[in-house]
Amino acid sequence: MPVLAPVELLTPRLKLRWMTQADVDAHFALFSDPQVTRYLGRPAWTERAQAVEAIDKVLAHYASGEAMRLGVELRATGSLIGDAGLWRIDDANRRCDVGYSLARAHWGRGYAPEALEALLAYGFDTLGLNRIEADIDPHNTGSQRVLERLGFRKEGSMPERWIVDGVSADTAFYGLLRSYWEPRKQPAL
Ligand SMILES: CC(C)(COP(=O)(O)OP(=O)(O)OC[C@H]1O[C@@H](n2cnc3c(N)ncnc32)[C@H](O)[C@@H]1OP(=O)(O)O)[C@@H](O)C(=O)NCCC(=O)NCCS
């Protein structure tokens, strides 16, 4: 596992930064909204304690190097509007998964691609990753649009991969290789 150092990534409108227990209320507000968790393969939270436990896990993962889940803050207000992270960081194979969620009030303004652009650059340039994967619900067209905008390619489908509240859900599997990412960094001729 890589050693993760505290991270702060700035984009024009956003700051991505390490989370702390001070983020519990905003984190709970995010994942207690069933519209946000609709395609995440788990039910919406009902207890604040679930957010406390989740952030404990985030902090443990910073220490182990397994995952780096960052809070997404609006620079204009300093409020936490979501999260974006690299998961299952596999040092030997230089790959990981990506995940992201924003509070519903902030959808449709291009914040997710803006945050991910910075996070993916960190993954490739600083962590030295070669491949970043995303497992999404094929009905989650918003997420699909975000991935395609960033250069991810659809690699396959896996039927009935998840069972949420007794209902099965499929996976659309996406990958972004360093070799797709690098040319996007070249300035236009
Ligand atoms: C998926 C998500 C991260 C997209 O973030 P975003 O910052 O809204 O992304 P964008 O502004 O670039 O919009 C992307 C697409 O979302 C959809 N979208 C935008 N506003 C929307 C809204 N109010 N309601 C539903 N979908 C919307 C559109 O399809 C849009 O594509 P378009 O720009 O080509 O029309 C966000 O909707 C979200 O947090 N959803 C809940 C959690 C989730 O599903 N995470 C992904 C798990 S794989």
Side-chain angles (χ1 to χ4, degrees):
M1 299 290 173
V3 174
L4 298 177
V7 174
E8 186 176 288
L9 306 175
L10 293 179
T11 72
R13 297 177 294 171
L14 305 170
K15 177 157 87 177
L16 280 69
R17 50 129 179 110
W18 274 31
M19 298 180 77
T20 73
Q21 283 295 354
D23 297 321
V24 163
D25 290 325
H27 204 50
F28 179 61
L30 176 66
F31 290 114
S32 56
D33 179 351
Q35 291 295 322
V36 170
T37 60
R38 181 169 177 198
Y39 297 119
L40 298 187
R42 58 180 168 79
W45 290 341
T46 52
E47 308 290 335
R48 188 177 182 275
Q50 292 172 285
V52 173
E53 196 183 318
I55 292 195
D56 280 343
K57 218 177 266 179
V58 170
L59 303 182
H61 285 160
Y62 291 155
S64 68
E66 264 167 87
M68 189 183 75
R69 182 177 197 153
L70 301 179
V72 176
E73 240 182 58
L74 269 187
R75 288 175 69 175
T77 61
S79 54
L80 195 78
I81 62 162
D83 72 1
L86 302 176
W87 310 96
R88 284 191 273 273
I89 300 173
D90 178 338
D91 213 15
N93 295 297
R94 291 194 287 124
R95 69 169 138 77
C96 73
D97 293 0
V98 67
Y100 39 88
S101 294
L102 296 179
R104 205 179 345 159
H106 301 280
W107 292 0
R109 296 176 196 178
Y111 288 140
E114 183 172 323
L116 289 176
E117 190 90 35
L119 184 67
L120 298 172
Y122 184 83
F124 287 119
D125 299 340
T126 304
L127 297 181
L129 294 167
N130 180 58
R131 174 181 163 82
I132 299 180
E133 301 172 351
D135 165 345
I136 74 166
D137 187 308
H139 297 104
N140 193 349
T141 48
S143 186
Q144 184 184 329
R145 295 282 301 133
V146 168
L147 293 174
E148 286 169 354
R149 200 167 291 162
L150 290 162
F152 279 79
R153 298 187 194 175
K154 188 169 178 193
E155 296 178 334
S157 302
M158 298 179 219
E160 300 185 22
R161 186 151 186 257
W162 305 99
I163 297 177
V164 186
D165 286 340
V167 178
S168 60
D170 302 342
T171 280
F173 201 73
Y174 284 79
L176 178 66
L177 303 188
R178 172 185 285 277
S179 58
Y180 312 158
W181 176 259
E182 290 287 346
R184 297 175 81 251
K185 294 197 310 189
Q186 304 301 323
L189 294 176

